[in-house]
């Protein structure tokens, strides 16, 4: 398994972009989202704004709360590839049994491609 290491600035920019996308898609105001994840009303809007602008990246527990409040997987908020982020989001909306079938289908397809490549 290859693990990519990103600089904090890339992670922060990706998180900021995905957070804003998800929040706007849900139609939730910054202050409301902040309060939903346990931030004080007085700082909720400013804090979410800073996360969306990439000035700050939230602690992991806060990021998990944001993902939960927005109904997206945590991995979506940190995914730096738009297509993969869409796949993560779509797969997360499937019932658990369908997620298993989807994963099995992906693995089968990858095996087909590998076999085809090995035959060449």
């Amino acid at each position: 398994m290859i693990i990519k290491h990103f600089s904090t600035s890339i992670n922060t920019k990706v998180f900021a972009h995905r957070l804003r996308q998800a929040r706007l898609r849900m139609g939730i105001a910054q202050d409301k989202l902040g309060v939903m994840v346990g931030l004080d009303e007085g700082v909720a809007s400013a804090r979410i704004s800073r996360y969306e602008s990439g000035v700050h990246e939230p602690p992991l527990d806060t990021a998990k709360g944001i993902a939960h409040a927005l109904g997206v997987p945590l991995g979506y908020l940190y995914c730096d590839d738009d297509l993969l982020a869409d796949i993560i989001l779509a797969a997360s909306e499937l019932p658990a049994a369908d997620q298993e079938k989807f994963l099995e289908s992906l693995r089968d397809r990858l095996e087909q491609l590998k076999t085809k490549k090995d035959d060449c």
Side-chain angles (χ1 to χ4, degrees), residues 90-109:
S92 74
E93 294 174 3
L94 293 171
D98 289 337
Q99 287 179 2
E100 299 262 343
K101 289 176 187 175
F102 177 62
L103 179 58
E104 185 178 323
S105 172
L106 284 174
R107 287 181 174 151
D108 289 346
R109 180 64 179 137

Side-chain angles (χ1 to χ4, degrees), residues 13-107:
K13 288 178 184 178
V14 168
F15 185 90
H17 174 71
R18 298 274 178 241
L19 168 58
R20 183 168 177 78
Q21 280 183 320
R23 184 184 61 77
L24 292 176
R25 186 173 45 254
M26 293 294 292
I28 299 174
Q30 289 177 335
D31 59 339
K32 183 177 177 185
L33 177 59
V35 170
M36 288 171 67
V37 300
L39 300 175
D40 182 80
E41 277 187 43
V43 300
S45 182
R47 184 84 58 90
I48 298 298
S49 176
R50 287 184 184 111
Y51 296 156
E52 286 187 2
S53 63
V55 173
H56 296 291
E57 185 175 350
L60 185 57
D61 285 344
T62 302
K64 287 179 182 178
I66 290 170
H68 179 74
L70 294 174
V72 300
L74 181 61
Y76 168 80
L77 294 175
Y78 288 98
C79 185
D80 69 331
D81 180 283
D82 289 338
L83 180 58
L84 188 54
D86 287 343
I87 292 169
I88 291 168
L89 195 55
S92 74
E93 294 174 3
L94 293 171
D98 289 337
Q99 287 179 2
E100 299 262 343
K101 289 176 187 175
F102 177 62
L103 179 58
E104 185 178 323
S105 172
L106 284 174
R107 287 181 174 151

